[in-house]
């Protein structure tokens, strides 16, 4: 009985009190499908929330709004930490502080510049800029880790990019400042997704633990960016009950978006997360056409359908590669084949014969 209790206690400790166990729990309850669906739903919701804040409420301070989102997220994470609900972080020696600092800094530029781009450009031009993120991620991953993308997936991504471009070509409104911001946003966005994905998949980081470590750095850089990129007048904004409630809802959705995005990047790849973002835009456009009788034009509809076909093919290829990778790992760690895979072929010792 005592031995069984010790084994149960050890099992619970490994599952709840170690970074490896916390990561296993995240992978068990939040697989790729759950993570991507969660991220998709929250992303659609925050579009509505930010449109309310930036439009009807008139809170035209995108960097400050981003700062509110991350400050709110840090408060929520601090409450989790106080009640011991925050997953444990891996040992500091496994992940250098420079990596966490770089991720926090890049995240501030990625999110802040994205909100400024949305303010000064149309959704169509914003999506055009997002198309450039996909090849940027593929090139960066090839340079950093020699990771190659198969020809079939490249063709599928080309169909997705072309379809999104055709679907949004009728909504290309921008100014010089907005275009420069959109171009400057591409590289931080790509690096942000790569770092989030790599730290979770190659280390024992969970989404919440990584958010807890990087959010203070992000807040620091957003404070530095706000005087340069936000318009003046933030101190004169009217904080009544309605305006405060709208910004609070936006902050809650911002925390959920950050969490769902981290979960999605931990369960999939950086490129898959970009494809999900393009899928969101196409679904919103087609939904408006089907439900609200909007008329984007036949060319845009054809482009949207082509993008959906490309996304379906890319998803199918990714799932097939994941299954192949899982089966390969099972073979590699098969104890019966261990000596063969390590190149240690055992041979029988030569028999000795007694001299006649």
């Amino acid at each position: 009985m005592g031995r069984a209790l010790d084994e149960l206690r050890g099992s619970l400790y490994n599952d709840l009190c170690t970074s490896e166990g916390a990561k296993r729990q995240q992978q068990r309850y939040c697989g790729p499908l759950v993570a991507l669906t969660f991220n998709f739903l929250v992303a659609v919701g925050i579009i509505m929330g930010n449109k309310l804040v930036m439009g009807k409420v008139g809170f035209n301070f995108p960097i400050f709004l981003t700062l509110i989102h991350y400050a709110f997220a840090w408060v929520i994470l601090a409450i989790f930490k106080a009640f011991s609900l925050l997953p444990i972080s891996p040992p500091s020696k496994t992940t250098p502080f420079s990596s966490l600092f770089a991720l926090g800094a890049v995240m501030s530029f990625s999110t802040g510049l994205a909100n400024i781009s949305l303010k000064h450009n149309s959704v169509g031009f914003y999506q055009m800029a997002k198309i450039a993120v996909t090849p940027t991620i593929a090139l960066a991953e090839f340079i950093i880790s020699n990771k190659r993308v198969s020809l079939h997936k490249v063709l599928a991504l080309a169909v997705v990019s072309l379809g999104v471009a055709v679907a949004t070509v009728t909504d290309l409104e921008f100014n010089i400042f907005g275009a420069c911001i959109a171009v400057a946003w591409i590289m931080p966005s790509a690096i942000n997704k790569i770092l989030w994905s790599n730290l979770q998949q190659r280390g024992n980081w969970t989404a919440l633990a990584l958010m807890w470590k990087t959010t203070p750095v992000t807040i620091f850089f957003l404070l530095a960016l706000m005087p340069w990129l936000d318009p003046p007048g933030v101190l004169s904004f009217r904080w009544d009950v309605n305006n405060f409630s709208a910004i609070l809802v936006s902050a809650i959705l911002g925390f959920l978006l950050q969490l769902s995005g981290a979960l999605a990047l931990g369960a999939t790849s950086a490129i898959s997360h970009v494809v999900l973002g393009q899928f969101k835009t196409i679904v919103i456009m087609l939904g408006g056409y089907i439900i609200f009788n909007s008329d984007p034009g036949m060319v845009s509809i054809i482009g949207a359908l082509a993008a959906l076909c490309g996304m379906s093919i890319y998803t199918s290829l990714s799932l097939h590669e994941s299954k192949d990778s899982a089966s390969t790992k099972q073979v590699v760690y098969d104890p019966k084949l261990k000596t063969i895979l390590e190149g240690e072929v055992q041979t029988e010792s030569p028999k000795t014969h007694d001299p006649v």
Side-chain angles (χ1 to χ4, degrees), residues 124 127-128 131 134 154-172 275 278-279 281-283 285-286 296-311:
Q127 286 302 126
M128 283 292 191
I131 292 174
T134 304
V154 169
L155 294 176
L157 289 173
V159 172
V160 172
S161 300
L162 181 61
V164 173
V166 172
T168 57
V169 72
T170 57
D171 185 27
L172 295 181
V275 172
Q278 295 170 344
F279 175 71
T281 301
I282 296 300
V283 168
M285 192 195 76
L286 291 178
M298 187 55 63
V299 174
S300 295
I301 294 175
I302 293 174
L305 294 175
L308 287 177
C309 292
M311 292 170 192

Side-chain angles (χ1 to χ4, degrees), residues 8-158:
L8 178 60
R9 190 182 300 113
S11 176
L12 290 175
Y13 178 84
N14 290 331
D15 287 341
L16 302 176
C17 300
T18 65
S19 57
E20 295 89 347
K23 182 180 178 181
R24 284 195 300 269
Q25 294 298 318
Q26 176 178 302
Q27 292 172 339
R28 179 184 302 173
Y29 294 107
C30 193
L33 181 60
V34 174
L36 291 174
T37 303
F38 180 30
N39 184 241
F40 172 77
L41 295 175
V42 175
V44 173
I46 200 171
I47 288 176
M48 306 303 175
N50 283 348
K51 179 175 283 189
L52 175 65
V53 171
M54 304 284 281
K56 290 186 177 181
V57 175
F59 192 80
N60 296 315
F61 310 98
I63 297 295
F64 189 39
L65 181 61
T66 307
L67 176 63
I68 291 174
H69 288 181
Y70 280 97
F72 179 81
W74 188 83
V75 171
I76 296 297
L77 293 172
I79 294 174
F80 287 175
K81 181 76 172 179
F83 287 93
S84 301
L85 298 175
L86 195 70
I88 192 169
S89 302
S92 57
K93 62 181 180 181
T94 61
T95 304
F97 176 74
S98 58
S99 297
L100 300 175
F101 184 85
L103 177 56
V106 169
M107 198 186 320
S108 65
F109 284 94
S110 175
T111 311
L113 293 178
N115 285 337
I116 296 176
S117 178
L118 280 172
K119 178 185 176 183
H120 291 277
N121 303 313
S122 64
V123 175
F125 188 83
Y126 176 77
Q127 286 302 126
M128 283 292 191
K130 186 178 288 187
I131 292 174
V133 176
T134 304
T136 304
I137 291 175
L139 179 61
E141 288 184 333
F142 175 76
I143 294 174
I144 295 173
S145 57
N146 199 27
K147 183 178 180 180
R148 300 175 184 271
V149 181
S150 65
L151 178 60
H152 295 89
K153 294 179 74 172
V154 169
L155 294 176
L157 289 173

Side-chain angles (χ1 to χ4, degrees), residues 211-288:
M211 287 169 61
W212 171 250
K213 291 292 185 179
T214 57
T215 298
V217 180
T218 303
I219 292 174
F220 171 79
F221 276 93
L222 287 172
L223 286 171
L225 288 174
M226 191 169 63
W228 299 94
L229 296 177
D230 264 355
V234 65
L235 296 179
S236 60
F237 180 75
R238 186 165 55 93
W239 290 91
D240 57 21
V241 176
N242 292 332
N243 293 349
F244 178 80
S245 300
I247 294 174
L248 179 61
V249 170
S250 177
I252 294 172
L253 291 173
F255 168 71
L256 293 177
L257 181 66
Q258 185 185 357
L259 174 61
S260 64
L263 291 172
L265 286 168
T268 60
S269 65
I271 293 180
S272 297
H273 193 253
V274 176
V275 172
L276 175 68
Q278 295 170 344
F279 175 71
K280 171 194 65 182
T281 301
I282 296 300
V283 168
I284 291 174
M285 192 195 76
L286 291 178

